[in-house]
Amino acid sequence: MRRWLVVWTLVVFIGFFLTPFEADAATTPPYKVSAPTGTTLFQVVGKTLKPRATLRAAKQFKAISTSGSYYKVQDGKTIYYVKKQAVTLVATNLSLATFSSSTYSRLTHEYMRSLNRGQTPYYYDELTAKTAIIRADAAMKGNWYIPSPPYQLRVPNIDTYRFDVSVPSVDSTSFKFQIHYFTTLNQLTQAYAATGRDDYLRYGKRIVTSWTKQYPVSNYKHYRWPYHDHGTAIRTFHLLNFWNEFRSSAVNTDPAFSQLFAKTLYEHATLLATPSFYKPNNNHGMFQDMALTAVAETHRSFDRSSSWRSLATNRLTGQLNHSLSTDGVHLEHSPFYQIYLYDTLARFNDWAAANRFALSSRMRDVKDMPSALTYMLKPNGTLPMFGDTPSITHRTDAIPYIERYPHLTYAMTQGQSGTQPSTRVGKLSNQYAFFRQHWGGTAGPFQDSVHMMMTAGYHSNIHKHADDLSIDLYGYGRDFIVESGRYAYTNRPERSAVMQAAAHNTVHVAGKSFNLTPSNLRRSQITSVGAASTQWTAAGTSGLLGNGMTHTRRLAYDRDGTVLVYDDITSPTTTSFVQRFHLGTGLNRVSSGSRHALYKDNENRSIHLLQLDVGTTPNVAVGASYVSYRDYDWQRRNQVVTTKRGKQVEYLTLIHIGEKLTKITSATVQTTSRHYVVRYKLSDGTTKMLSMLR
């Protein structure tokens, strides 16, 4: 009687502390075997399996374990064995508890190697077979190739390597990021896919085993790079791709590793779904959503996969609503990410379609992104260096389905193929305004066309520089006014310098940068563009200077080589303001004064900047600054700086660029009730007029 009371008390006690989910999980077996009619049931007699019965109707049994080519199953209190080839293993509600105990390791091994979903991989970094083999061979000798400086990591013995203390400290923050997102495992996976060599998989298994032992997910908050938000998502894809190759290979003989791998994927998905770990309004969050979708869709038997799938879809919709405009502009402040995210999202669409995975309906809008890219490209094939954009030449092979975009093809091939666009002035969402003098052909050499862009927009701090209302001016085959670049993702002081307002072609408070705080989100935008027969115009506004100040910038372009820039700044207090124009490299000063600065290069291409007489007296100075056309590039160049002081400050700057040395010889300003009308004469005898709304 006492024994019965003790048992009853324990049952009540356990039931009280188990949640309904836990109680159900405790009684529902994670693995079952589905046996069709005619299946032979075996039992152990002595030391031999003997047939005991034949099923007259299909039936499910609780799966207990495996034994060679048999499943060990239970029917009530009776134990049977059935041949694996005659039945189907059914997995339901696989939980973390399933993968945290050795009880089900053999069944998990069977489950993991019999996966039939998600067989088409998504490669974050797709390599040629030759490159993958070279890097994988080097890795197995202890020489890991990492795509960021210093590019090499020495790993003498992966089984004992300490990722926490052995990785050297370097300037590039991308270095550790890429190590921990398993760039080396990706190389091994693709090398195996190309060759079928088992040694690549064996080394990959050792990487996974060593790394997971050092970085338990329970302590993720203590590990900056092992559990970086973006890196965790990329690593999840690399893990899934590795298992696609590993599962059916001759190397897959260890149930304990299958158990570890399933546990690792489950824990990664759990972390990706954790609200405090998630990056909203950020392209990192998009990768998190995709990686969570991949686990949920591939492992539908995980107990949380259904909720993960819904969560990922809803979050991805929110991400795209925030960062992808209806006209296909990626709103993370950097033209480079227009290419990067289009390539990424287009391939995500292909991956999902190939695997029959469901994604957010907004993913259909990704197809519009290349059209916007057409007008961002400069005639030399680079992009304006707004935000985190390097100055590199972009080729058509970087654009998935480029054949569907004949205008972009024309822009990227400098008119050699595709269809010539007709649009020469426009607004891309509320983030960019562009002017394009011509598209080559009879209008002149393609590369000589004048191209100008202005940027604005503050949607988040992702890739955001203090560059609102900054301009980029290109013409006659060179940069005249150009941004400072991104330098690189590093802790070096140059990276901090390029982020500041003083590094951009805009106006800022003397000695200060912009006020990039959550309260100022969306307080910056391109407001309008216009096209008339004699001039094109664009306008934007920014409230990011701080302390209740507002900056409005308007451009008027004569459709040839002259631009009128109007800056209007209002401030509640008297303040000193600085207007800056940073020049391209190779432009040397010819002359300068209190109102103007003239520069030319070795081919006599020139730029003349003239401050016109409006408002308070301008003070023009020339000086030096730096530009980073490519990562870790840091070149000295010139800048023109104009200071003014007041509560209502106006700049009216006339800028002319010439294919040959040309300067502004005279300019007059007529003020009307609504406009400034500027009449000017050039040294080649040209006389023109530009009108600017005040």
Side-chain angles (χ1 to χ4, degrees):
M1 180 69 174
R2 176 181 292 178
R3 183 177 180 183
W4 181 87
L5 285 173
V6 169
V7 171
W8 182 84
T9 302
L10 284 173
V11 169
V12 172
F13 181 82
I14 293 171
F16 179 81
F17 284 98
L18 280 178
T19 65
F21 171 79
E22 290 169 330
D24 181 66
T27 58
T28 303
Y31 294 106
K32 297 179 182 180
V33 164
S34 181
T37 302
T39 299
T40 301
L41 305 180
F42 296 83
Q43 284 187 317
V44 177
V45 179
K47 295 183 178 180
T48 308
L49 280 179
K50 298 287 187 179
R52 299 295 294 183
T54 300
L55 290 180
R56 296 182 178 180
K59 187 172 182 177
Q60 279 199 340
F61 298 90
K62 176 184 176 180
I64 298 175
S65 186
T66 67
S67 178
S69 59
Y70 292 82
Y71 286 115
K72 183 179 181 181
V73 301
Q74 185 174 355
D75 182 24
K77 294 183 179 180
T78 306
I79 303 299
Y80 293 110
Y81 292 82
V82 293
K83 290 184 177 180
K84 291 178 182 177
Q85 64 185 24
V87 298
T88 302
L89 182 67
V90 179
T92 56
N93 292 317
L94 303 182
S95 66
L96 186 59
T98 307
F99 307 131
S100 299
S101 166
S102 61
T103 302
Y104 296 109
S105 62
R106 290 182 176 275
L107 290 169
T108 297
H109 182 61
E110 292 294 330
Y111 161 74
M112 288 292 288
R113 70 180 183 182
S114 64
L115 286 171
N116 57 10
R117 289 184 59 78
Q119 298 306 298
T120 300
Y122 170 77
Y123 286 121
Y124 177 76
D125 184 15
E126 192 163 9
L127 308 172
T128 65
K130 181 180 179 180
T131 298
I133 292 166
I134 289 172
R135 293 178 182 177
D137 286 346
M140 291 193 299
K141 295 176 182 177
N143 300 311
W144 287 20
Y145 174 82
I146 309 301
S148 292
Y151 301 111
Q152 297 296 325
L153 178 68
R154 181 65 184 156
V155 183
N157 185 344
I158 186 58
D159 302 314
T160 59
Y161 190 77
R162 293 283 305 277
F163 286 95
D164 53 347
V165 297
S166 300
V167 175
S169 296
V170 299
D171 290 327
S172 171
T173 56
S174 297
F175 187 67
K176 288 186 178 180
F177 170 63
Q178 292 167 344
I179 292 170
H180 286 283
Y181 75 44
F182 281 4
T183 189
T184 304
L185 189 71
N186 177 52
Q187 295 160 10
L188 293 161
T189 300
Q190 294 189 54
Y192 175 81
T195 65
R197 281 173 45 189
D198 289 343
D199 52 344
Y200 294 136
L201 297 184
R202 291 192 182 93
Y203 191 70
K205 176 184 175 183
R206 291 167 62 193
I207 291 175
V208 174
T209 303
S210 176
W211 189 92
T212 52
K213 185 185 300 182
Q214 294 182 53
Y215 299 108
V217 73
S218 57
N219 293 329
Y220 77 91
K221 291 183 179 180
H222 300 289
Y223 306 131
R224 179 186 179 189
W225 295 117
Y227 289 103
H228 184 273
D229 46 50
H230 191 191
T232 299
I234 297 171
R235 183 171 60 250
T236 300
F237 276 109
H238 288 164
L239 286 167
L240 288 166
N241 295 343
F242 176 77
W243 191 262
N244 273 342
E245 302 295 343
F246 186 88
R247 69 179 185 85
S248 57
S249 72
V251 182
N252 188 12
T253 59
D254 182 4
F257 184 67
S258 296
Q259 186 87 340
L260 170 67
F261 210 95
K263 180 174 181 285
T264 300
L265 287 175
Y266 191 101
E267 289 176 331
H268 273 55
T270 301
L271 183 57
L272 290 168
T274 301
S276 60
F277 186 71
Y278 184 62
K279 282 289 186 180
N281 302 335
N282 189 315
N283 73 77
H284 294 184
M286 292 185 190
F287 280 92
Q288 290 176 294
D289 296 333
M290 290 298 182
L292 185 59
T293 297
V295 176
E297 288 279 14
T298 303
H299 295 274
R300 288 190 168 183
S301 298
F302 285 1
D303 58 359
R304 299 178 63 189
S305 284
S306 179
S307 61
W308 285 340
R309 191 163 54 246
S310 297
L311 176 65
T313 300
N314 292 336
R315 292 193 316 193
L316 181 58
T317 299
Q319 290 278 7
L320 294 169
N321 287 343
H322 175 268
S323 62
L324 184 63
S325 71
T326 55
D327 59 348
V329 178
H330 182 245
L331 303 176
E332 281 191 357
H333 319 106
S334 305
F336 172 75
Y337 280 81
Q338 185 79 11
I339 287 183
Y340 171 65
L341 262 297
Y342 169 69
D343 173 62
T344 297
L345 295 175
R347 291 193 297 114
F348 272 143
N349 270 331
D350 291 344
W351 160 78
N355 290 300
R356 297 184 179 181
F357 294 168
L359 296 178
S360 164
S361 60
R362 278 233 58 201
M363 286 290 285
R364 292 194 292 263
D365 297 332
V366 169
K367 69 181 184 305
D368 298 325
M369 295 180 73
S371 297
L373 182 63
T374 302
Y375 306 102
M376 297 180 191
L377 284 167
K378 299 198 282 192
N380 65 354
T382 69
L383 289 165
M385 293 192 295
F386 299 133
D388 280 337
T389 302
S391 182
I392 56 178
T393 302
H394 299 280
R395 299 186 299 273
T396 55
D397 57 8
I399 310 297
Y401 305 110
I402 184 66
E403 68 278 2
R404 300 177 185 175
Y405 305 96
H407 288 166
L408 178 58
T409 301
Y410 189 92
M412 298 189 83
T413 62
Q414 299 182 335
Q416 297 303 304
S417 60
T419 303
Q420 185 180 104
S422 58
T423 302
R424 294 189 291 150
V425 56
K427 182 163 74 83
L428 302 174
S429 185
N430 63 356
Q431 191 160 261
Y432 305 108
F434 67 89
F435 302 146
R436 176 94 181 209
Q437 183 188 21
H438 61 74
W439 290 98
T442 59
F446 186 97
Q447 278 196 302
D448 284 355
S449 176
V450 176
H451 181 273
M452 186 174 192
M453 283 189 73
M454 178 167 65
T455 187
Y458 179 33
H459 308 283
S460 70
N461 283 84
I462 307 307
H463 304 296
K464 177 64 181 169
H465 292 212
D467 60 356
D468 291 77
L469 305 184
S470 189
I471 63 172
D472 180 283
L473 179 59
Y474 170 99
Y476 312 119
R478 67 135 44 243
D479 286 326
F480 283 100
I481 296 175
V482 66
E483 287 287 77
S484 296
R486 69 179 186 183
Y487 186 70
Y489 300 138
T490 173
N491 295 321
R492 291 185 185 179
E494 292 90 340
R495 171 62 178 174
S496 178
V498 300
M499 304 287 286
Q500 305 302 310
H504 302 291
N505 303 307
T506 187
V507 177
H508 66 97
V509 175
K512 295 184 179 181
S513 191
F514 287 173
N515 190 17
L516 300 178
T517 58
S519 61
N520 277 333
L521 287 171
R522 293 172 291 280
R523 294 194 62 205
S524 169
Q525 61 183 318
I526 300 296
T527 54
S528 66
V529 296
S533 59
T534 57
Q535 66 177 38
W536 295 336
T537 59
T541 184
S542 170
L544 305 182
L545 279 74
N547 299 325
M549 303 175 193
T550 301
H551 176 201
T552 298
R553 170 167 278 184
R554 297 190 180 96
L555 309 176
Y557 169 54
D558 73 345
R559 311 196 310 170
D560 191 4
T562 307
V563 179
L564 186 62
V565 181
Y566 174 63
D567 291 301
D568 180 23
I569 307 99
T570 60
S571 171
T573 60
T574 300
T575 305
S576 293
F577 296 96
V578 183
Q579 179 205 65
R580 297 180 188 271
F581 293 113
H582 299 269
L583 308 184
T585 56
L587 287 164
N588 303 305
R589 181 158 58 102
V590 176
S591 64
S592 63
S594 61
R595 297 289 184 93
H596 84 101
L598 175 64
Y599 291 81
K600 73 178 184 69
D601 66 9
N602 291 337
E603 296 180 32
N604 268 342
R605 293 171 292 193
S606 63
I607 179 170
H608 195 191
L609 300 95
L610 177 65
Q611 292 291 352
L612 303 177
D613 193 10
V614 296
T616 56
T617 303
N619 181 17
V620 176
V622 296
S625 63
Y626 291 86
V627 61
S628 178
Y629 282 107
R630 290 159 296 280
D631 283 0
Y632 297 98
D633 171 45
W634 198 238
Q635 298 185 54
R636 189 179 176 92
R637 43 83 177 268
N638 292 304
Q639 67 169 316
V640 179
V641 181
T642 306
T643 57
K644 284 195 173 189
R645 182 172 175 81
K647 294 177 67 174
Q648 180 79 37
V649 170
E650 295 177 289
Y651 293 87
L652 192 60
T653 312
L654 189 62
I655 303 173
H656 178 76
I657 60 173
E659 189 173 10
K660 298 298 181 182
L661 179 59
T662 311
K663 64 180 181 177
I664 305 165
T665 56
S666 65
T668 61
V669 180
Q670 177 187 355
T671 305
T672 71
S673 59
R674 297 191 60 200
H675 294 86
Y676 288 123
V677 179
V678 177
R679 293 178 173 84
Y680 57 95
K681 185 176 182 179
L682 304 178
S683 57
D684 63 4
T686 302
T687 301
K688 285 190 176 182
M689 179 188 76
L690 284 169
S691 176
M692 178 63 68
L693 183 68
R694 295 174 59 194

